[in-house]
Amino acid sequence: MSVARLCQCSSTILWATGGVSCILVIVAVVMSVDDPRDVTRRNDVTPADVRNFIINNINRDNIRRSLRHLTLEPHLGGTEGELGLARWVAQTWQRQGLDQVHLVPYQTLLSYPDPLTPNLVRIVDGEGNTAWVSAAKQKSLYAPEEASPELPFTFLGYAPRGNVTGDVVYAYYGREEDFHFLAEEGIDVSGRIVIARYGQIFRANIVRTAEERGALGVVMYSDPADYAPAGPDFVYPHSSYMPPSASPFGTVKLGDGDPLTPFYPAIESAFRIPEEEASLPKIPAQSVSYDDAWQILSRMGGAVAPASWQGNLNITYHTGPGLAHPGWKVNVDVNNNNTQTTTYNVVGVITGHEEPDRYVILGNHLDAWLFGGLDPNSGTAAMLELSRVFVHLRNETGWRPRRSLVFCGWGAEEYMAVGSTEWTQQFAKQLSDRAVAYLNVDMALEGNYTLRTMSSPLLTDAVFESAKKIPNPDPAEVMVGRKSVYTTWAARRPDPLQPDTPLLQAIGSGSDYAGFQHNLGIPSLDICYTHDNSTIGEPMYHTLYETFAVVDEIYDKGFHFHSAVAAMWGDLAVVLSESKVLPFSLVSYAAFIKRAQDHIAQRYGDLIRSQNITLKYFTDAGQTFNTSAFIFNKALESLDLKSPLVVRRVNDQLMMVERSFIDPRGLPKQPELNHVITAPSKNDAYSSTAFAGLADTLADIEEAAEEDRQHLWRTFAEHLAAVTHLLETAAKVLSDDLW
């Protein structure tokens, strides 16, 4: 049946401007199917049938072919490479037969290395002569594309132009506590260059903390202790561990979206603040390989670093300040340019049957720092296969989901979720009213050890039940009786508080779920297969060596793990789009809140009581939400499922729960984030900190001078009252009473 025949009612449309013309973006078309044969055919297909069809029809060879195409050329955000890939994804969805497919442009400020002048780190002698200089690019090791002349110089996005020289200080992971340790040891980073290991916190937080302490510049590297634990002879291309020449790219900007249009979409009519007013780093920063980092660290003077700060570079690490050779210093030379350019989202829709104005959104970003074999295109390839299977089911049986499925390929995510943030800002009202959930796969895998899921607590039960249905892609695990993704997940990554249950991580930031979860209150998740505990991150992450070859030959021979992630992604989409009553986990959310409240009381209770501030109302509000959740769930047992209005009312209440935790004023020192429960800490944009506004303020109070504490206590008390109110609001939306 054609889209034209299906458009019997009105259309719900969203507009996005691009160039000199308007591009019509259909997020969902309100349709009624008047052909009784279609209704009969759909009614013959149960939700269980749909789940089994999706799981059993994922084609591994299709995923492999798509990934090969997606990784042929570099496709950095805002470049012709990204646009070409976006167009190819759009054409693929058009060929598959999605109901609507559109490109959505945004004009944003992105950052690129100078094409002629590389970013370099040098050691200079007392006369200013260069004694050593870092590599401008990573060297080719295996895959032919690694030698492409089109590859950019190594850079960190939004690191400003600058050429600075000074004594160097080793700051371990560049965390607040690491700088605090240096200060206690009498080591001042002001006017100096900081060298720090990457991996424990978001790289932009390292730069921001160094900048706040007066550092001239930052050099970052990945230590082999964290990314090559098996030694120098067992690294890529012989394994998935990081080789000495690898130097990860990444952004050093804090805050999601276009930096010149905060809080509003980067469309033609937008007001753009001057670049000097934007929240961008002010000191130069550069990434180097651990081969290059050795050149600096092996020459450092000063005190021997603590035992816990030592790494695996076969040297004794010193903190500095300065190099051991008198008069020698480190020079950081960054030549990046910030450029106004256009990035594109691709949006495709399979329109729902009964509730076309309710959206289950699936997303993955398209841009990559280089080839993107893992991040993001393992996820893109899985999404393209998943959309094919859904359309195939529709064409074979006449089935349509109860609610609309919206597939999104996001632009410029690597620059801090630019495309998705602008989209959620532009269509905030519609999405707040209509989106059921957002299901993100930033990358399908970053290893092949077990599942890793970050999620709103509201999706807990849906995630666990889905993982139980997905066949285990690891033959060795099947041999020991672990037949599902869930059983391996529970065995290899258990929840410390519930050992028989898998660890479901709280959702932080760092990918395209941020705008949905932290600004709009749309329950979100991110899933992928991950590595074991021998490294603290995926070793090939954002490096030249993240190619098709490393996926095809090392990570996932046969693409079994890709298929498992695609199947689980699709199964969750089916459950959320087909269930009459949304399968939201109110009790799990209440338990999460209770644990987070207990943690604050235990960690900071004495400090809070010292100011005669009570946590009673805060704690009572959490208990009220728990009681309301229990009563609401009990009422569902006698719900009249045959009444569309009753079902709609209940689902509206369930959708309002996550929205209830949104504070329009934002969090203390993070006004760009609105979710008072699941937002990331201001000290690490990657990780989630429950009640981040409260926890961050209390941490600041502990560190502040006495004269600065009064203002911080005012901030804490005010935010505590706001959080308490929003907890009570979440309880009230589950009631039919106004009062």
Side-chain angles (χ1 to χ4, degrees), residues 294-363:
W294 180 89
Q295 297 286 345
I296 299 172
L297 293 166
S298 66
R299 291 178 165 94
M300 287 190 66
V304 173
S308 60
W309 287 34
Q310 300 295 318
N312 280 8
L313 284 176
N314 199 29
I315 59 172
T316 298
Y317 291 57
H318 290 72
T319 57
L323 301 175
H325 200 294
W328 286 31
K329 297 183 184 297
V330 170
N331 168 258
V332 179
D333 184 8
V334 172
N335 299 283
N336 298 338
N337 299 298
N338 292 342
T339 304
Q340 195 78 22
T341 187
T342 303
T343 188
Y344 292 84
N345 297 336
V346 190
V347 180
V349 181
I350 298 176
T351 308
H353 186 276
E354 286 91 349
E355 297 182 78
D357 62 332
R358 290 290 184 262
Y359 316 138
V360 175
I361 304 171
L362 298 84

Side-chain angles (χ1 to χ4, degrees), residues 375-694:
D375 180 11
N377 296 131
S378 61
T380 315
M383 182 166 65
L384 292 174
E385 175 60 8
L386 191 55
S387 60
R388 182 198 68 80
V389 175
F390 273 114
V391 173
H392 179 55
L393 175 62
R394 183 200 67 190
N395 293 344
E396 287 291 308
T397 68
W399 169 89
R400 281 187 176 276
R402 179 184 184 90
R403 304 175 185 95
S404 294
L405 295 174
V406 182
F407 296 88
C408 300
W410 306 116
E413 183 274 349
E414 296 293 3
Y415 290 90
M416 286 304 281
V418 172
S420 58
T421 298
E422 302 312 308
W423 197 72
T424 54
Q425 287 174 345
Q426 186 174 11
F427 306 125
K429 301 304 181 185
Q430 297 97 315
L431 293 169
S432 293
D433 186 55
R434 303 168 189 168
V436 169
Y438 174 65
L439 311 178
N440 193 64
V441 173
D442 188 287
M443 46 185 164
L445 72 159
E446 58 179 9
N448 51 29
Y449 182 68
T450 189
L451 192 73
R452 191 271 292 145
T453 301
M454 297 184 293
S455 175
S456 161
L458 209 53
L459 300 176
T460 299
D461 293 342
V463 170
F464 286 166
E465 290 306 310
S466 181
K468 291 174 182 177
K469 284 187 63 67
I470 309 303
N472 201 321
D474 188 338
E477 286 292 284
V478 174
M479 290 289 290
V480 297
R482 297 172 186 153
K483 296 183 179 181
S484 71
V485 164
Y486 181 91
T487 50
T488 291
W489 184 16
R492 290 184 166 178
R493 199 62 62 87
D495 187 330
L497 300 177
Q498 304 173 77
D500 295 330
T501 303
L503 176 63
L504 186 67
Q505 295 172 236
I507 194 161
S509 188
S511 191
D512 294 300
Y513 45 73
F516 293 91
Q517 177 75 30
H518 302 315
N519 296 117
L520 301 182
I522 296 165
S524 303
L525 62 77
D526 184 272
I527 57 172
C528 74
Y529 249 80
T530 192
H531 50 83
D532 62 21
N533 294 325
S534 64
T535 64
I536 61 172
E538 194 280 296
M540 297 298 146
Y541 184 66
H542 289 181
T543 71
L544 171 64
Y545 313 112
E546 200 187 314
T547 61
F548 174 78
V550 79
V551 178
D552 191 44
E553 300 177 28
I554 296 177
Y555 276 106
D556 195 11
K557 294 179 181 180
F559 282 69
H560 300 281
F561 294 95
H562 279 78
S563 299
V565 171
M568 184 169 170
W569 199 5
D571 187 64
L572 283 164
V574 171
V575 170
L576 290 162
S577 64
E578 285 284 77
S579 300
K580 272 196 172 182
V581 176
L582 294 172
F584 285 173
S585 309
L586 298 175
V587 173
S588 295
Y589 215 146
F592 176 86
I593 290 169
K594 177 65 163 58
R595 287 194 300 271
Q597 289 179 318
D598 289 346
H599 174 74
I600 287 178
Q602 292 164 10
R603 173 69 177 80
Y604 297 106
D606 291 342
L607 181 65
I608 294 168
R609 283 188 291 272
S610 73
Q611 300 298 305
N612 293 319
I613 297 175
T614 179
L615 292 176
K616 178 183 184 305
Y617 303 115
F618 173 61
T619 304
D620 288 350
Q623 182 56 50
T624 299
F625 176 73
N626 182 60
T627 302
S628 294
F630 177 81
I631 294 171
F632 186 89
N633 279 346
K634 192 68 177 175
L636 291 180
E637 297 175 4
S638 57
L639 190 71
D640 182 6
L641 294 176
K642 294 182 179 180
S643 170
L645 291 178
V646 170
V647 171
R648 183 74 163 202
R649 173 179 58 79
V650 165
N651 285 334
D652 284 349
Q653 290 174 284
L654 287 165
M655 287 173 61
M656 280 298 298
V657 170
E658 197 84 78
R659 272 79 160 173
S660 297
F661 300 128
I662 295 297
D663 186 343
R665 297 178 61 190
L667 305 186
K669 295 189 178 181
Q670 295 193 102
E672 72 281 4
L673 298 176
N674 305 99
H675 202 296
V676 300
I677 294 180
T678 64
S681 166
K682 67 180 179 63
N683 296 320
D684 182 5
Y686 268 168
S687 301
S688 175
T689 300
F691 297 116
L694 298 176

Side-chain angles (χ1 to χ4, degrees), residues 107-228:
Q107 296 79 47
T108 65
L109 185 76
L110 301 182
S111 171
Y112 304 99
D114 189 290
L116 301 177
T117 309
N119 300 328
L120 299 172
V121 177
R122 301 179 180 91
I123 294 176
V124 295
D125 63 20
E127 303 299 320
N129 301 311
T130 298
W132 166 84
V133 63
S134 64
K137 292 184 179 182
Q138 300 163 78
K139 66 181 181 182
S140 175
L141 294 177
Y142 180 67
E145 57 265 37
E146 294 169 12
S148 169
E150 302 301 317
L151 296 172
F153 292 124
T154 301
F155 81 112
L156 295 172
Y158 295 110
R161 273 181 173 267
N163 190 316
V164 294
T165 302
D167 288 331
V168 63
V169 174
Y170 172 50
Y172 198 29
Y173 289 109
R175 300 167 297 187
E176 289 278 353
E177 58 262 39
D178 300 330
F179 283 104
H180 183 68
F181 170 82
L182 290 171
E184 287 188 328
E185 294 296 307
I187 301 172
D188 187 0
V189 302
S190 178
R192 291 168 171 155
I193 306 294
V194 167
I195 184 168
R197 288 157 67 163
Y198 176 62
Q200 288 289 355
I201 63 170
F202 182 40
R203 72 186 75 81
N205 289 102
I206 300 173
V207 175
R208 173 65 63 84
T209 305
E211 179 185 317
E212 290 174 345
R213 283 160 174 73
L216 293 176
V218 175
V219 178
M220 277 182 278
Y221 80 102
S222 301
D223 200 280
D226 301 321
Y227 296 97

